[in-house]
Amino acid sequence: MTRFLVLFATILVALFALELSRPAQAAFVLPWTAALAHISSGLVSLFDSDVIAHGKVLQSTRNGFGVSIEAGCNGIEASLILVAAMLAFPARWIHRLVGIAVGLVAIQALNIVRLVTLFYLGQWSLRAFEWAHLYVWQALIMLDALVVWLIWVRKLPRETATPAHAG
């Protein structure tokens, strides 16, 4: 357990340092954040034509309300925590890679639901928006990462030791 915790903390610090670097921000974080706004806009536009995305902002053309997707709201931090946990846990690499891929999809899918619900909640009530944004959705995204990791750990195949050959 100590090995896992030390490895997890080390990987997590390295991933967060990498994420905060200018090259990673420019090459990945900012484009991903803008892509989230456009994905959310595309989904919303299926049933509401009064939405646009520009940069990292999802905005209503009807009333002008918009949500700006900032650091901490793009699902990257929760994703990094999940990746660090899966890399630190003793498992075969193929299981880690599959778990990371499925986990990233799960976190980002829920994050898109988060963005769309906050977009509509903010148009209805700014007070409700703030509460949901700061308390409900922050916790749910982190809980999603934890649940995905726990399911992954539970689904890992049990490694069976091969019996020694009798001499």
Side-chain angles (χ1 to χ4, degrees):
M1 180 66 134
T2 302
R3 179 188 177 283
F4 167 76
L5 291 174
V6 169
L7 196 52
F8 170 72
T10 302
I11 293 169
L12 191 60
V13 167
L15 289 174
F16 275 124
L18 179 63
E19 180 216 3
L20 294 173
S21 72
R22 281 195 180 151
Q25 288 286 316
F28 179 73
V29 175
L30 296 176
W32 174 249
T33 304
L36 279 175
H38 289 279
I39 292 167
S40 299
S41 172
L43 288 172
V44 170
S45 69
L46 293 174
F47 52 89
D48 181 356
S49 61
D50 296 326
V51 63
I52 59 170
H54 48 93
K56 60 184 181 174
V57 176
L58 180 64
Q59 188 169 25
S60 171
T61 58
R62 183 178 44 241
N63 59 27
F65 178 81
V67 291
S68 179
I69 306 167
E70 300 296 332
C73 297
N74 55 16
I76 291 176
E77 289 78 7
S79 296
L80 293 180
I81 291 168
L82 178 68
V83 168
M86 287 184 175
L87 290 177
F89 197 82
R92 291 185 177 196
W93 277 101
I94 188 67
H95 297 131
R96 289 176 181 168
L97 294 176
V98 169
I100 288 168
V102 171
L104 293 178
V105 169
I107 288 171
Q108 291 304 329
L110 184 63
N111 199 47
I112 289 169
V113 171
R114 166 192 181 174
L115 296 170
V116 171
T117 59
L118 288 173
F119 173 70
Y120 281 110
L121 194 57
Q123 292 177 71
W124 175 67
S125 166
L126 286 177
R127 188 175 194 180
F129 167 86
E130 287 296 326
W131 189 81
H133 174 251
L134 294 174
Y135 302 109
V136 176
W137 275 115
Q138 292 287 19
L140 287 177
I141 294 295
M142 287 301 170
L143 184 61
D144 183 30
L146 175 62
V147 167
V148 167
W149 184 76
L150 290 172
I151 291 170
W152 175 77
V153 167
R154 184 146 173 94
K155 296 291 184 181
L156 282 174
R158 301 284 180 237
E159 300 298 327
T160 56
T162 55
H165 293 288

